[in-house]
Amino acid sequence: MKFAELVAAYERLDATSKRLELREIFVGLLKDAGGPELGPVLFLSQGQLRPEYEGVELGVANSLARRAIAGATGVPDAEVARSEKLSGDLGLTAEELLRGRSPAADAAAITVEELYRALRSVADAKGEGSQDRKVGILSALLTRSTPLEGKYLVRFVLGQLRLGVREMTILDALAQRYADGSKEARSRIEAAYNLTSDLGLVAEALDRGGLEALGALRLEVGRPIRPMLAERSPDLADVMERMDGRAALEMKYDGLRVQAHVPEEGPVRIFSRRLEEIGEQFPELVRALPGALRRRPAIVEGECVPIDPETEEIRPFQEISRRRGRKYDLERMQAEVPVTVFLFDVLLDGTTATTALPFGERRARLVDLLLPSERVALADQAVVTSVDEAQAYFDRCIALGGEGVMAKSLAPESSYHPGGRGFWWIKYKREYTHALADSVDGVVVGAFAGRGRRAGRYGALLMAVLDEESGRFETFCKVGSGFDDATLAGLPERLAPFARDAADPRVRTTLLPDRWMAPGLVLEIRGAELTLSPTHPAGFGRLKPGSGLALRFPRFTGRFRDDKGPEEATTVAELVRLYQTQVKRAADVAEPGGTTGGASPAGARE
Ligand code: AMP
């Protein structure tokens, strides 16, 4: 196929935005392209060279493209830049400048195959002298280009093709070209794409043997599968109804979804939800994964969350984003913001593809496959059979730092649906309220030994508030964030007068610190929000049977309240009020214009 033919189709695609017309034009293109050209035609038309997950980038900036145009047309660089400024589109500039040039008399027409090969070498050019090599290749192509070819070539290399040909349109066109265009054919083709994430591969299989040939496409280690997605639901009663009264509920971790491909030998590859390869950013996971699985090859999925190295509690998701896109300083970031991946699914277990198994069986396999470690853990799960059980589990997840629950169907049809959003998985999140209105003055009642960089010191403190009625100090959080080095170093001395071997009889907690402290030292603490929690006894049973209050994502503000004794610290009654204003404000958000009516936020229900 000639590049000129492709470009003629691009002109027509460019002139319409109607999906049906786009599809018809595309079907025509598919008919004209020969087998090996199919992949290139599909990828080029989407402005890519390879499937997205391979992350192949041309690495061509405007300045480089300008140099290539100058080289091909003999027009000086500055002149090209001036023209670009006027047109606002370097593609149009190339077209115009190529028109003004006398065409090379003996130039042979560019074929799609040749163009594709040349562009791949542009992408492959790395290291010293690569810029010049890229300019050379592009300039040689432009020298042989017609003005129209030049326009699209330049737009392509700059990532500005934008023909409006979306994946959905291509799948429609494939169904039309290689089958009868029916819904059933379309969904078989889409399923093959969801499994392989590679339209080129799907098109080539169709070209070879029609729909039947799709059956030969398999899950492969190193090639991501498009992730299964979840529907959402307004409340847990609805969730349980849709699940026919029985479901596996899992903690919904607030982090980054990862799909890990662990080959029998060789490097682990980790893909994000959008199928970008992100293993480089999480070397500790790449290292830990092979040893964490009993069988290989394997493909597993999970959520990667930041963990506080001191308290081992889940930290806010934002702390992971400090690591995203980083190339340098990774070692330091690993120590500061280590991550743990909580695995929730297995797609390949040894040589067995498990995607067709019901979820319950996949979970059993995952449990059997995993050797849990600090970096690779199992997603928390409970099988529930009533709304009350679901609510209790939800409250527990929130208290542990989750953002809600994922309900998963255990029905026989609950196979892994790649790329699909359906009610097999339902997410139910707590509505985010807002930052806690006020800080809390908490009393130190215990301390935990530090680990990692904080070894030999205290790493986290157990904090309580005072219940004025009983005179007890009831814990509401464990705080390890917000301490600078100097403060940490000074903590043992500051706490020495209060240190005890046993719990002070006034202290109520379910946790076991490494060192008990008599109530004395008061610290100002901030946090994201107060949540109902079965773990902490502060205000136990006052808002809900079986629950106390816990502060989510606590952080020391840096202020020691030496001006306050433990009896002047925040009280349980104040904490309860703080929780209620938070609930009220959340209701305001849910129902603009008033606080009346029963709009209570998720999780605040009685
Ligand atoms: P959302 O991003 O709000 O559409 O919620 C779906 C996402 O929740 C998934 O893509 C995962 O990244 C994440 N997630 C967290 N915990 C789980 C879990 N236990 N099972 C499945 N997905 C989870």
Side-chain angles (χ1 to χ4, degrees):
M1 187 181 209
K2 301 269 193 296
F3 184 31
E5 293 170 66
L6 190 61
V7 158
Y10 284 1
E11 280 283 282
R12 294 173 57 212
L13 289 169
D14 223 7
T16 180
S17 56
K18 295 202 186 94
R19 188 164 163 183
L20 269 186
E21 277 178 38
L22 290 170
R23 190 188 71 195
E24 288 316 311
I25 301 168
F26 221 83
V27 171
L29 255 181
L30 292 175
K31 284 187 176 149
D32 291 341
E37 290 163 347
L38 274 171
V41 165
L42 286 181
F43 292 130
L44 289 173
S45 309
Q46 286 184 291
Q48 298 166 206
L49 280 178
R50 291 290 303 148
E52 215 146 306
Y53 76 84
E54 289 189 15
V56 175
E57 305 232 352
L58 278 159
V60 174
N62 281 48
S63 55
L64 198 151
R66 279 200 299 269
R67 277 174 62 200
I69 296 170
T73 57
V75 175
D77 236 5
E79 188 68 30
V80 179
R82 213 172 5 256
S83 162
E84 180 190 11
K85 235 191 199 128
L86 282 177
S87 69
D89 173 352
L90 197 53
L92 286 180
T93 289
E95 182 181 13
E96 184 191 309
L97 296 179
L98 286 171
R99 257 190 233 295
R101 165 207 68 163
S102 47
D106 57 347
I110 303 171
T111 64
V112 167
E113 201 195 332
E114 190 187 357
L115 170 79
Y116 187 72
R117 234 182 308 123
L119 290 173
R120 298 256 354 218
S121 358
V122 170
D124 288 343
K126 301 263 151 60
E128 211 183 314
S130 61
Q131 297 300 88
D132 290 342
R133 285 206 300 285
K134 289 181 197 231
V135 172
I137 300 169
L138 290 179
S139 177
L141 281 173
L142 283 168
T143 306
R144 291 170 51 203
S145 293
T146 64
L148 267 190
E149 288 172 337
K151 171 170 93 176
Y152 287 106
L153 175 58
V154 168
R155 282 188 184 166
F156 179 87
V157 297
L158 292 178
Q160 294 167 357
L161 195 58
R162 297 195 197 100
L163 294 171
V165 187
R166 303 214 329 240
E167 275 156 17
M168 292 301 123
T169 313
I170 295 185
L171 293 171
D172 287 345
L174 288 172
Q176 190 92 4
R177 165 74 178 91
Y178 293 106
D180 54 6
S182 67
K183 250 191 163 156
E184 199 239 323
R186 167 71 163 69
S187 66
R188 280 174 69 182
I189 295 172
E190 185 170 348
Y193 172 52
N194 285 334
L195 189 69
T196 59
S197 312
D198 184 340
L199 279 173
L201 204 69
V202 173
E204 275 155 27
L206 284 167
D207 195 57
R208 252 194 335 270
L211 288 179
E212 294 314 308
L214 296 180
L217 296 177
R218 298 261 175 270
L219 204 56
E220 234 174 58
V221 175
R223 193 172 65 201
I225 179 167
R226 290 166 48 84
M228 176 163 176
L229 304 172
E231 279 289 351
R232 57 164 61 80
S233 166
D235 57 60
L236 287 171
D238 178 69
V239 170
M240 292 309 289
E241 199 180 310
R242 285 182 187 276
M243 296 277 167
D244 284 335
R246 183 168 178 270
L249 256 54
E250 293 184 354
M251 167 115 126
K252 187 171 191 306
Y253 299 90
D254 187 8
L256 205 66
R257 182 167 188 166
V258 295
Q259 191 180 106
H261 289 237
V262 187
E264 208 166 349
E265 267 172 61
V268 170
R269 297 177 72 178
I270 298 182
F271 297 97
S272 72
R273 174 189 178 130
R274 296 179 51 215
L275 309 187
E276 297 157 318
E277 199 166 346
I278 52 168
E280 252 185 25
Q281 288 162 41
F282 301 107
E284 73 267 51
L285 295 186
V286 168
R287 272 196 300 271
L289 273 158
L293 303 177
R294 281 201 177 87
R295 291 177 290 277
R296 278 174 279 158
I299 303 177
V300 287
E301 264 196 326
E303 190 87 351
C304 171
V305 295
I307 296 284
D308 189 312
E310 307 309 325
T311 61
E312 287 177 45
E313 284 172 343
I314 293 174
R315 296 292 310 154
F317 169 66
Q318 293 80 303
E319 297 190 6
I320 261 195
S321 52
R322 289 174 51 206
R323 290 180 56 155
R324 291 214 75 190
R326 249 175 206 269
K327 295 228 162 70
Y328 311 102
D329 247 6
L330 265 177
E331 289 298 327
R332 190 169 59 82
M333 294 304 286
Q334 271 180 62
E336 269 179 38
V337 192
V339 295
T340 291
V341 62
F342 288 90
L343 296 183
F344 55 71
D345 220 318
V346 54
L347 313 179
L348 184 76
D349 175 5
T351 47
T352 315
T354 51
T355 47
L357 298 177
F359 177 64
E361 284 180 42
R362 298 205 302 283
R363 170 79 183 191
R365 272 189 182 257
L366 180 63
V367 171
D368 181 58
L369 180 65
L370 180 67
L371 296 158
S373 67
E374 208 179 359
R375 298 278 77 91
V376 188
L378 185 67
D380 196 84
Q381 187 193 83
V383 174
V384 299
T385 52
S386 71
V387 179
D388 282 350
E389 278 175 32
Q391 182 70 49
Y393 184 72
F394 174 86
D395 291 342
R396 179 166 166 263
C397 289
I398 295 294
L400 291 175
E403 58 167 355
V405 289
M406 265 299 194
K408 299 185 176 179
S409 164
L410 293 166
E413 307 83 27
S414 60
S415 58
Y416 189 92
H417 299 264
R421 197 180 286 286
F423 283 98
W424 306 112
W425 284 8
I426 306 177
K427 60 186 167 192
Y428 175 63
K429 287 195 235 188
R430 87 174 273 105
E431 290 310 325
Y432 270 100
T433 48
H434 41 73
L436 193 65
D438 205 353
S439 57
V440 177
D441 294 324
V443 185
V444 182
V445 296
F448 297 85
R451 307 169 33 166
R453 279 195 319 138
R454 294 187 185 177
R457 300 172 170 181
Y458 291 131
L461 303 177
L462 185 58
M463 306 301 301
V465 284
L466 174 70
D467 178 17
E468 282 178 312
E469 283 161 38
S470 63
R472 288 176 185 155
F473 289 92
E474 302 175 342
T475 61
F476 69 101
C477 74
K478 183 174 161 188
V479 62
S481 296
F483 297 91
D484 59 28
D485 277 349
T487 312
L488 273 181
L491 270 184
E493 199 185 319
R494 244 180 213 281
L495 285 168
F498 309 107
R500 302 285 183 275
D501 288 334
D504 185 285
R506 291 168 296 167
V507 171
R508 288 286 171 280
T509 187
T510 56
L511 301 182
L512 188 64
D514 296 308
R515 200 93 174 93
W516 291 103
M517 299 289 162
L521 189 65
V522 179
L523 263 57
E524 188 180 74
I525 309 285
R526 276 203 165 276
E529 59 179 338
L530 285 165
T531 58
L532 292 171
S533 153
T535 323
H536 283 289
F540 204 80
R542 291 205 195 182
L543 289 155
K544 188 181 168 188
S547 291
L549 283 172
L551 184 61
R552 202 157 174 245
F553 302 143
R555 186 169 201 93
F556 177 42
T557 63
R559 277 183 76 188
F560 288 99
R561 298 299 310 253
D562 294 329
D563 55 326
K564 287 192 172 183
E567 273 79 23
E568 281 98 37
T570 301
T571 61
V572 166
E574 283 175 294
L575 209 62
V576 168
R577 269 201 302 283
L578 210 50
Y579 175 80
Q580 282 163 338
T581 48
Q582 178 181 279
V583 168
K584 208 156 139 239
R585 279 172 53 181
D588 286 346
V589 175
E591 205 184 353
T595 51
T596 51
S600 69
R605 242 172 284 120
E606 290 292 319

